[in-house]
Amino acid sequence: MSAPLVLGIESSCDETGVGIVRGDQMLANEVASSVEQHVRFGGVVPEVASRAHLQAIVPALERAFEKAGVSPDELDGIAVTSGPGLVGALVVGISAAKALSLAWNKPLYGVNHLVGHVAVDLLEHGPLDPDSPTMALLVSGGHTSLLRIGNLVDDIEEVGTTIDDAAGEAYDKVARVLGLAYPGGPVIDKAAQFGDPTAIRFPRGLTAKHDLEKHRFDFSFSGLKTAVSRWVETEQAAGREIPVNDVAASFQEAVADVLTAKAVDACQRFGATTLLLGGGVAANSRLRGLLEERTAAAGIILRRPRPGLCTDNGAMIAVLGAQVIASGAAPSPILLGADSGMPVSRSYEAPAA
Ligand code: KG4
Ligand code: ZN
């Protein structure tokens, strides 16, 4: 089969994404975000997100087909995020994908959102090099993992993960402590540009010698978040003004330091010569910069999608769907359900054996 033409639908959180790809070529990527509707609550409200998906999905589909200049009958398949994510939000995308699959008589593939964050880099940098074993650092709002990638369809092994908060979650919580808007990642990233990353030495989770024995490739951001809160409370109690930019920069430095050090260590331990960065936090400027320095120093090839492709979108789901279809895998059952806890080792929902 020539490169499959795939429609991808994403609705796991607060972005309604519709993408169309041909193999690893992106033809359209329409994203409608409901983030504005969640700002005043300081986090995503599932019911609000579901309703926004319902309103956004049909117009996003129409725009995507118009942009791509293809018609539904040309499709080789429809890929949709089946997990992990918010169940009520996932269900909107899955229902749409099922309806289109039946109406257009096209095979349906339920795929993993997290693996989509890794696969999206193919749209920018082409296929993975089979001669360069790949490790992925996946950093999103809900997940932080190191993944050994044999291939994106059926060979992904999690070699480390967070034992408490995800990196993105820490960003969002620290932003709240600093009185900054939701989502915290982009605002802290911006504030940090004007701050001193060495102003405050915040803890680097799971990097002490005794932690490394059991948790060498695992992460912990809960202690860091608490350390930032305590520091801010102490300063406030003393009547001092909070140097928001310095706190943001120092916090960001602690996150980027741990993520990059462990990622490079994992590459060396598992013999990976390529490191692939993915997930919403992969848009972070300091993480991108420090990773570039440290992978270069270690002789590791760095692959990182442009920031606009790091956050949730439909093209990442479509490109993973294209990989699954190209592998010859059977479509998912039409009774496909949402799986809020879908493990990262399962790239797509295979039919029952
Ligand atoms: O992958 P994503 O779009 O959604 C999930 O699958 O969770 O990630 C969202 C997370 C949020 O926590 C947001 O604060 C964070 O990505 N984020 C960033 C940046 N842009 C988004 N974190 C740090 N720096 C950024 N520039
Ligand atoms: Zn995501």
Side-chain angles (χ1 to χ4, degrees), residues 12-13 15 113-114 117 139-143 168-169 171-172 183-186 189 252 279-281 283-285 310-312:
S12 68
C13 192
E15 262 98 29
H113 178 85
L114 303 172
H117 274 303
V139 274
S140 73
H143 294 80
E169 211 175 333
Y171 264 95
D172 296 335
D189 199 352
Q252 177 156 287
V281 183
N284 186 260
S285 60
C310 291
T311 42
D312 295 347

Side-chain angles (χ1 to χ4, degrees), residues 242-254:
I242 305 301
V244 171
N245 295 345
D246 285 349
V247 178
S250 300
F251 159 76
Q252 177 156 287
E253 195 61 22

